[in-house]
Amino acid sequence: MKIIGTGSALPKKVVTNDMLTEFYDTSDEWIQARTGIVTRRIMTDESLLDLAITAAQRALEASGLKAEELDYILCSNVNNNYVFPSLSSMVQGKIGATCPCMDIRNACAGFVYVMDLADMYIKTGRAKRILLLTAEEPTRFCSWKQRETSVLFGDGAAAAVVEEGGEYLGARVTTICNTEVLYQRRRLEPTPFEVEGVYIDQPMVMQGREVFRMAVTNCSKEISTLLEDTGYKIEDVKFFLLHQANMRIIKGIEQYLGGKPEQFPTTVQKYGNTSSASMAILLDELVRENRIERDDLLVMSGFGAGFTTGSCMLKY
Ligand code: COA
């Protein structure tokens, strides 16, 4: 499988750290020191569907393919206004595609999971050209009364068109059942049989320090194993595209692996944590800035609620 086009779309509203001090007791100094985040983009009059459509259209345009030529749309999305249909089904009609669609909900690691699924569809001959999509509005799953979570997030969407050929060299995906460190519970429609107190509506709950620890430990370990399995060394890799959750997590993984800072590009300072969209937005930015050339070795690695990790290696 190879990537033949990328695209992304971000909300126009730029929210600075200072703007957040209107809502709770925080500071630019605290946020920058603990997270590296300076600004994030937050949706105002846009919808997540708008962003997803724009990202998909940009990726298609870059690939030179027409929407009708797609064999599948695989989408990573945690939440949007609709429980069903899937976000990818809604995007499909708007961009003029006619292929089957599927969403996966695997939190911030989701984009690597859709890449890995795409590789399997292509390897088995079930599809030749696939649109990988990710669109996330994490600013709508955390409480804006909680400073420890809402400072971290931003919204965004990105896409990549892949087709057969190229070298997708390997992937590692893991799930550790540790659901207490990161979750959001949503109340469903009540029934006459509901027992009071059973169904809880609750914004995101996060044990920040534990998530931080698990992220650095598990991603570092999985990337090292991926390198061992494929026989490549750290210095062979042009870029490690890591989930953009926190600059300190990225630095922690960089130090564990012993890589150079320039191998770990970041967007977290501009966009915050855009959940599973973060790695794909970063990929698109690097491609558009002509910083990635054909045959460059890339490693992508993300982590998220579950606790899940997903890492993959490919030649661009
Ligand atoms: N502004 C100012 N102070 C804040 C704050 C904010 N936005 N949020 C928390 N604090 C305070 C805490 O209340 C605490 O105060 P106390 O010492 O008086 O109790 C202090 O800052 C330190 O909090 P702590 O939680 O120990 O900070 P930390 O160094 O672990 O950083 C996170 C907090 C959330 C930035 C960090 O743990 C993290 O990034 N974790 C990973 C989160 C993540 O990536 N989640 C998404 C996964 S996909």
Side-chain angles (χ1 to χ4, degrees):
M1 162 176 116
K2 68 176 174 199
I3 296 169
I4 58 166
T6 62
S8 59
L10 291 147
K12 58 186 173 305
K13 175 94 179 162
V14 178
V15 176
T16 64
N17 292 340
D18 280 338
M19 286 159 80
L20 301 182
T21 60
E22 287 173 33
F23 310 113
Y24 34 62
D25 178 20
T26 189
S27 65
D28 178 47
E29 208 181 358
W30 190 95
I31 301 170
Q32 285 210 41
R34 304 283 174 136
T35 70
I37 298 166
V38 182
T39 57
R40 72 283 292 138
R41 302 287 185 92
I42 299 185
M43 288 196 295
T44 49
D45 58 352
E46 305 100 337
S47 74
L48 195 66
L49 181 60
D50 294 336
L51 295 186
I53 292 167
T54 305
Q57 286 169 332
R58 287 178 179 159
L60 272 172
E61 198 184 319
S63 74
L65 290 187
K66 293 195 172 64
E68 312 89 78
E69 295 177 90
L70 292 171
D71 298 322
Y72 226 124
I73 302 176
L74 300 174
C75 174
S76 167
N77 168 250
V78 176
N79 67 334
N80 71 78
N81 293 69
Y82 284 80
V83 175
F84 51 83
S86 63
L87 186 63
S88 50
S89 302
M90 292 190 271
V91 170
Q92 185 239 40
K94 300 280 185 201
I95 62 171
T98 51
C99 58
C101 300
M102 172 165 58
D103 280 16
I104 67 146
R105 192 155 58 88
N106 218 12
C108 301
F111 192 69
V112 174
Y113 282 74
V114 294
M115 285 194 71
D116 207 35
L117 275 176
D119 177 58
M120 284 185 270
Y121 272 108
I122 287 173
K123 274 202 182 113
T124 56
R126 294 278 304 277
K128 284 189 166 62
R129 300 179 181 110
I130 302 178
L131 176 71
L132 309 181
L133 184 60
T134 158
E136 300 284 17
E137 47 184 334
T139 62
R140 305 285 293 275
F141 59 57
C142 51
S143 162
W144 278 83
K145 294 191 178 103
Q146 284 174 3
R147 62 180 184 171
E148 58 276 24
T149 51
S150 51
V151 295
L152 303 175
F153 295 100
D155 305 323
V161 180
V162 293
E163 71 173 14
E164 63 180 348
E167 286 179 79
Y168 182 81
L169 297 159
R172 289 186 60 84
V173 290
T174 68
T175 301
I176 299 163
C177 179
N178 186 345
T179 53
E180 297 305 306
V181 293
L182 195 56
Y183 64 90
Q184 185 201 352
R185 292 175 71 174
R186 181 169 46 175
R187 194 172 194 276
L188 302 178
E189 286 302 306
T191 72
F193 311 105
E194 180 179 319
V195 177
E196 210 177 314
V198 170
Y199 297 103
I200 297 169
D201 214 15
Q202 191 178 28
M204 188 178 123
V205 174
M206 182 183 77
Q207 293 174 27
R209 283 188 176 191
E210 186 55 12
V211 171
F212 191 110
R213 190 193 64 76
M214 289 183 79
V216 175
T217 310
N218 293 299
C219 278
S220 302
K221 210 171 70 186
E222 291 306 319
I223 295 171
S224 298
T225 310
L226 187 59
L227 287 166
E228 267 167 46
D229 290 351
T230 52
Y232 285 96
K233 297 192 181 63
I234 306 283
E235 53 270 30
D236 299 327
V237 179
K238 174 79 176 279
F239 289 126
F240 291 88
L241 308 183
L242 305 185
H243 173 39
Q244 301 289 301
N246 181 321
M247 195 66 90
R248 284 160 59 217
I249 293 178
I250 297 168
K251 283 281 160 208
I253 297 171
E254 178 195 311
Q255 275 156 23
Y256 178 99
L257 295 173
K260 295 192 181 118
E262 58 269 28
Q263 289 174 291
F264 295 79
T266 57
T267 54
V268 66
Q269 63 279 23
K270 294 188 287 187
Y271 305 140
N273 178 348
T274 55
S275 188
S276 74
S278 83
M279 283 180 275
I281 292 171
L282 175 60
L283 172 70
D284 181 50
E285 287 212 352
L286 293 170
V287 169
R288 283 174 193 271
E289 288 164 8
N290 295 317
R291 290 170 64 191
I292 302 185
E293 287 168 18
R294 282 284 157 212
D295 286 335
D296 278 348
L297 193 58
L298 304 178
V299 169
M300 299 178 83
S301 182
F303 59 88
F307 192 85
T308 58
T309 68
S311 307
C312 67
M313 181 189 276
L314 71 155
K315 281 199 178 162
Y316 179 73

